[in-house]
Amino acid sequence: MFGIKQSSLILLALAGTQGFAPNSTLRSIKIHTSITGTTSLYSESTDTIVSPFDNNDSSKDSDEYLELTWENVEKVLDEMRPFLIQDGGNVSIVDIDGPVVRLQLEGACGTCPSSTQTMKMGLERGLIEKIPEISDVIQAMPEGPDLNAEQVELILDGVRPFLKVAGGTIICESISGEGSLQPTVNLKMEGSSASLNSVKLEIAQRLQRHFMLAGLQVEFL
């Protein structure tokens, strides 16, 4: 039975392979942990992480609200960009369709596993606070490779050597929902590593970064 120490060793080995950004990924997992309340092997800290986008000033009145225009959206984003830039990322406007704003996260933020939280908990919240006409902020994803078994195997081949050392194997059982809003990759892990949720999380994140599909689900059977 693998404990935290063995799990950490596997993750450190995986972190040394191409396509893994240790600093941004660990930071993202810590942020995700504080939002969801789930347990992460990366951080045992109980400190509350406060979003830099939060503004608790409830004294604003309607005179301080901005109209929904491209220029005003840029103005509000400029106030939040420093927090993205310091982590190697940025954000740009793709489109404004009625009350819906489409943004694209760039740089490290674009491939961060917690990009959805950054978009919804940070950028959307900050924009709606200043521009109440906005009803939704959608993340525009850059185009990735086609979701198929060959591309999934390409990612799995990168982690199999480390799973083998840990006494485990992994195969792609099936892919469902191709072309839908929520496609799913079904994986099956066997052996000692099958019980390590942190390793499963890393594999899922690699697949999500590779295919760049916002709604991609990775299930372990």
Side-chain angles (χ1 to χ4, degrees):
M1 182 71 180
F2 280 83
I4 291 178
K5 183 176 180 181
Q6 288 91 335
S7 173
S8 300
L9 291 174
I10 296 171
L11 287 170
L12 287 173
L14 290 173
T17 62
Q18 185 176 4
F20 183 67
N23 291 336
S24 62
T25 301
L26 295 185
R27 183 183 298 108
S28 299
I29 291 175
K30 290 175 184 176
I31 292 173
H32 178 73
T33 300
S34 77
I35 293 172
T36 62
T38 57
T39 302
S40 169
L41 292 178
Y42 292 113
S43 173
E44 295 180 358
S45 172
T46 57
D47 295 340
T48 301
I49 300 176
V50 179
S51 170
F53 302 130
D54 283 353
N55 187 336
N56 294 322
D57 184 3
S58 58
S59 63
K60 293 182 180 295
D61 55 41
S62 59
D63 293 337
E64 297 182 61
Y65 293 143
L66 301 174
E67 293 183 8
L68 176 52
T69 66
W70 193 285
E71 292 75 16
N72 284 338
V73 172
E74 281 284 8
K75 180 180 179 179
V76 177
L77 289 177
D78 281 343
E79 298 176 3
M80 298 185 281
R81 279 193 171 100
F83 303 107
L84 301 176
I85 292 172
Q86 72 181 5
D87 283 335
N90 209 329
V91 62
S92 62
I93 305 172
V94 174
D95 185 35
I96 298 177
D97 184 9
V100 178
V101 177
R102 293 180 68 233
L103 303 177
Q104 180 168 321
L105 291 172
E106 302 171 343
C109 293
T111 57
C112 174
S114 290
S115 61
T116 300
Q117 283 85 355
T118 299
M119 184 67 68
K120 290 296 180 182
M121 303 295 291
L123 299 176
E124 180 181 75
R125 188 172 177 178
L127 284 167
I128 292 177
E129 180 180 311
K130 297 291 185 65
I131 310 174
E133 292 177 61
I134 297 175
S135 65
D136 198 11
V137 176
I138 298 174
Q139 182 178 358
M141 300 294 289
E143 202 169 315
D146 291 338
L147 177 59
N148 55 47
E150 182 179 356
Q151 289 294 323
V152 172
E153 286 295 327
L154 183 66
I155 301 303
L156 297 183
D157 283 344
V159 301
R160 283 188 172 113
F162 306 102
L163 294 180
K164 185 177 181 180
V165 171
T169 61
I170 186 169
I171 60 173
C172 177
E173 284 281 334
S174 63
I175 301 174
S176 60
E178 299 97 318
S180 69
L181 294 176
Q182 200 171 56
T184 303
V185 177
N186 297 300
L187 304 177
K188 184 176 182 180
M189 288 180 64
E190 295 182 335
S192 301
S193 59
S195 62
L196 301 178
N197 289 329
S198 53
V199 175
K200 291 179 181 179
L201 176 62
E202 165 62 15
I203 294 170
Q205 289 173 352
R206 288 193 178 205
L207 288 167
Q208 289 162 348
R209 289 196 301 268
H210 181 71
F211 291 107
M212 301 300 290
L213 295 172
L216 178 63
Q217 301 293 307
V218 179
E219 300 289 343
F220 289 88
L221 307 176

